[in-house]
Amino acid sequence: MDFQDAFPTDEACYVYLCLVKWPNGFICPNCQYNKCYVMKDHTRRCAQCRKSFSVTAGTIFQDLHIPLRIIFQAMWYVVCQKQGVSASGLQKILGVGSYHTTWKWLHKLRRAMVRPGRDSLSGEVEVDEIIIGGVHAGKRGRGAEGKELVLAAVEDKGGSMGRLRLKQISDASGSKIEKALLEMVVPGSKIRTDGWRGYFGLEEKGYNHEVLVHSEQSPGEDPTPLIDKVATLLKRWLLGTHQGRQEPSYLQYYLDEFTFRFNRRNSRSRGMLFLRLVQQALQVDPITV
Ligand SMILES: [Zn+2]
């Protein structure tokens, strides 16, 4: 499907938002009447009580200073490009004058990529830290300079990967690891890690903890092979699409975008992914980036 065909005008984008918000047709939030007029400013005016409603109010689309169609086109690229798009790349594609505008919108969209109230991981879960940035391998216990630490958890579905969660952490101490894991993985799940001492308190937090260590007999065997694959893909994406220029204070949002795409990697329908992103964008409160 071509963007131009799907959304030829600004109003077509508003119609799409209305369909997501009112799947069974317009229902007046004031009097529950089911007919409305479409006004020039894209608001909907109830045909009975005459109140006007903006479909973008209270969402990240509220108070737009550029046409909604530009934002839809940005979302289209974010969803349809396998590797996503950088702010400068998107600026060229959209012909938007300001780099800051595209940068800001990409960040707003990343906030919409985490579904409010999403489920935590469960079952068998492999966990390890990933070090982002820097040339040399960093110290593990404390964040080394110029490096960022990410705690990664991925479901092990019989050797293949299920859902992924990524959380930026300031250091790999037990308390930071446990706090992050409680947000990502349901207690009672089986967690597999290497022998780092930061994981020693997991049983106390209600997890079934399995420790795999590099064995002397088979030194080539990796305790966390799934996370290693994730780390390779994540670093390649940050270096490729974003040239490794992501700001540390915004790293979590890049991680959220990576996770959104990763967890939907087997989805055949890009149109469905686009719908998911719009649905979540309507659920997320207005954000100042
Ligand atoms: Zn009404």
Side-chain angles (χ1 to χ4, degrees):
M1 204 167 36
D2 185 50
F3 180 78
Q4 184 61 36
D5 294 340
F7 301 105
T9 62
D10 224 20
E11 177 55 26
C13 303
Y14 282 93
V15 168
Y16 188 87
L17 285 188
C18 288
L19 283 171
V20 173
K21 189 166 183 170
W22 297 296
N24 302 314
F26 173 81
I27 300 285
C28 173
N30 183 47
C31 74
Q32 276 74 53
Y33 194 61
N34 65 357
K35 285 192 178 62
C36 67
Y37 305 111
V38 176
M39 309 310 282
K40 266 193 183 147
D41 63 357
H42 307 290
T43 56
R44 269 54 183 159
R45 179 179 287 174
C46 175
Q48 183 168 272
C49 74
R50 304 274 158 171
K51 284 204 170 187
S52 288
F53 301 96
S54 160
V55 69
T56 57
T59 75
I60 65 167
F61 303 116
Q62 102 175 7
D63 303 326
L64 271 185
H65 299 297
I66 50 176
L68 180 61
R69 193 167 174 274
I70 298 274
I71 309 302
F72 264 53
Q73 209 170 351
M75 291 167 66
W76 192 266
Y77 264 92
V78 164
V79 164
C80 293
Q81 297 301 113
K82 209 170 167 234
Q83 299 296 332
V85 63
S86 68
S88 57
L90 189 62
Q91 187 191 1
K92 279 184 208 127
I93 292 158
L94 300 183
V96 173
S98 151
Y99 170 82
H100 184 71
T101 301
T102 49
W103 181 90
K104 194 178 75 177
W105 268 100
L106 275 175
H107 271 297
K108 285 195 182 207
L109 294 177
R110 285 183 188 115
R111 314 273 176 110
M113 289 180 189
V114 179
R115 184 167 57 84
R118 66 179 175 181
D119 294 336
S120 296
L121 306 186
S122 58
E124 271 192 48
V125 181
E126 189 176 293
V127 172
D128 200 5
E129 311 101 80
I130 298 174
I131 296 166
I132 303 289
V135 181
H136 306 288
K139 270 186 208 153
R140 203 168 181 186
R142 295 189 298 155
E145 267 182 55
K147 296 178 188 10
E148 297 300 322
L149 207 51
V150 173
L151 192 67
V154 68
E155 289 171 335
D156 181 351
K157 301 282 188 189
S160 67
M161 293 186 274
R163 292 174 302 164
L164 171 73
R165 294 284 184 265
L166 297 171
K167 183 96 190 161
Q168 191 176 6
I169 50 176
S170 54
D171 62 68
S173 63
S175 61
K176 297 284 164 47
I177 283 177
E178 286 158 17
K179 185 171 179 286
L181 274 181
L182 284 168
E183 289 174 24
M184 301 197 289
V185 185
V186 177
S189 307
K190 181 176 176 180
I191 290 188
R192 195 169 61 232
T193 70
D194 62 17
W196 171 245
R197 59 185 155 80
Y199 296 112
F200 287 178
L202 292 186
E203 291 275 349
E204 260 176 55
K205 296 291 169 190
Y207 294 109
N208 181 357
H209 185 207
E210 184 185 3
V211 182
L212 289 178
V213 289
H214 288 277
S215 71
E216 303 251 321
Q217 285 78 25
S218 50
E221 207 174 310
D222 184 345
T224 52
L226 301 181
I227 300 291
D228 282 359
K229 278 184 206 162
V230 170
T232 304
L233 293 172
L234 173 63
K235 287 174 187 178
R236 195 182 291 160
W237 179 67
L238 289 173
L239 281 174
T241 300
H242 301 290
Q243 285 92 48
R245 280 195 234 130
Q246 64 286 340
E247 312 76 2
S249 56
Y250 286 93
L251 177 62
Q252 184 61 50
Y253 305 116
Y254 290 93
L255 300 179
D256 291 340
E257 180 182 351
F258 180 86
T259 304
F260 178 85
R261 203 169 278 116
F262 184 92
N263 285 345
R264 290 158 185 84
R265 65 198 179 281
N266 297 325
S267 170
R268 290 212 193 110
S269 165
R270 296 285 128 182
M272 187 58 82
L273 280 191
F274 185 78
L275 172 63
R276 289 273 170 272
L277 185 55
V278 173
Q279 280 174 330
Q280 288 173 205
L282 286 177
Q283 288 173 26
V284 172
D285 292 336
I287 304 156
T288 314
V289 178

